[in-house]
Amino acid sequence: MAPAADREGYWGPTTSTLDWCEENYSVTWYIAEFWNTVSNLIMIIPPVFGAIQSVRDGLEKRYIASYLALTVVGMGSWCFHMTLKYEMQLLDELPMIYSCCIFVYCMFECFKIKNSVNYHLLFTLVLFSLIVTTVYLKVKEPIFHQVMYGMLVFTLVLRSIYIVTWVYPWLRGLGYTSLGIFLLGFLLWNIDNIFCDSLRDFRKKVPPIIGITTQFHAWWHILTGLGSYLHILFSLYTRTLYLRYRPKVKFLFGIWPVILFEPLRKH
């Protein structure tokens, strides 16, 4: 975490329970953590287009919700890192829980008839979200949130491994790429927390363009944003395979992955 001494800016004193390693208001007076803020664009823009395409393709609403939930996380994180206010911190952290619950629902409903609703699982996840929200608002302990979020991610990892091991082995590339990118982001998140003082000292001694590359919390956003986006593609690919569609991953401009498919025609 960041040292206590940091300059103030447009949004006033920090009220959040967390202050990350990026130097506050070092780029502009209007944004507390500039790189931690703008790095959220990867979680905001691509999922919006994914949601629009899902509507056009007539996909189940839970996949539209998955894309939009990731966008909400990105917008909340943008507001949090821009202001370092406690209310904006909640706008970042609580949607992380809610979005993961949507991801869990999608992964465990991949092999059901189209447009079915699992009310028991839905109730369980809503109850879990409510309990986490209530406890977190009371205790205000970031470690509690991180443990609850980790439990959901671990559930997604186990379900993904099951699918690529026993159901659709040819999806290992997509599934493990998503997981690997996310874990790399998690590694950099930990490095940013543990070695913050050393990273700040290093950034004082090198040109700014090099210092930017050591903003590892921003890299956490980029990598987990991409990893989460790929996870949605993996979940959607699994679902459309089960529904006897012909899904394919294509790369827009040779860079950004999207999923395209068409239903099997009835003869």
Side-chain angles (χ1 to χ4, degrees), residues 239-258:
R239 179 60 172 160
T240 51
L241 273 177
Y242 178 79
L243 294 176
R244 299 177 60 80
Y245 286 41
R246 290 194 288 257
K248 288 187 177 180
V249 175
K250 300 289 186 180
F251 290 87
L252 292 180
F253 310 110
I255 299 176
W256 191 258
V258 296

Side-chain angles (χ1 to χ4, degrees), residues 22-122:
E22 181 179 351
E23 296 80 357
N24 295 350
Y25 297 102
S26 62
V27 176
T28 171
W29 190 64
Y30 295 99
I31 299 179
E33 296 175 342
F34 182 83
W35 300 110
N36 288 353
T37 299
V38 299
S39 57
N40 285 292
L41 286 173
I42 195 171
M43 283 189 276
I44 297 173
I45 298 176
V48 169
F49 287 99
I52 293 172
Q53 188 62 46
S54 297
V55 172
R56 289 175 177 173
D57 291 335
L59 299 180
E60 292 162 302
K61 291 182 176 60
R62 58 179 178 260
Y63 291 101
I64 301 170
S66 293
Y67 281 120
L68 293 179
L70 184 56
T71 295
V72 170
V73 171
M75 294 173 64
S77 183
W78 178 291
C79 294
F80 168 37
H81 291 285
M82 180 175 68
T83 66
L84 291 180
K85 294 297 184 181
Y86 176 68
E87 295 79 8
M88 299 300 105
Q89 179 181 347
L90 295 177
L91 195 60
D92 172 19
E93 293 176 331
L94 292 178
M96 290 172 65
I97 299 294
Y98 307 151
S99 62
C100 263
C101 284
I102 296 174
F103 296 166
V104 168
Y105 184 87
C106 289
M107 288 297 286
F108 280 87
E109 291 298 293
C110 281
F111 308 116
K112 302 292 180 64
I113 62 173
K114 190 173 183 179
N115 294 318
S116 63
V117 179
N118 185 336
Y119 289 103
H120 291 96
L121 179 58
L122 194 61

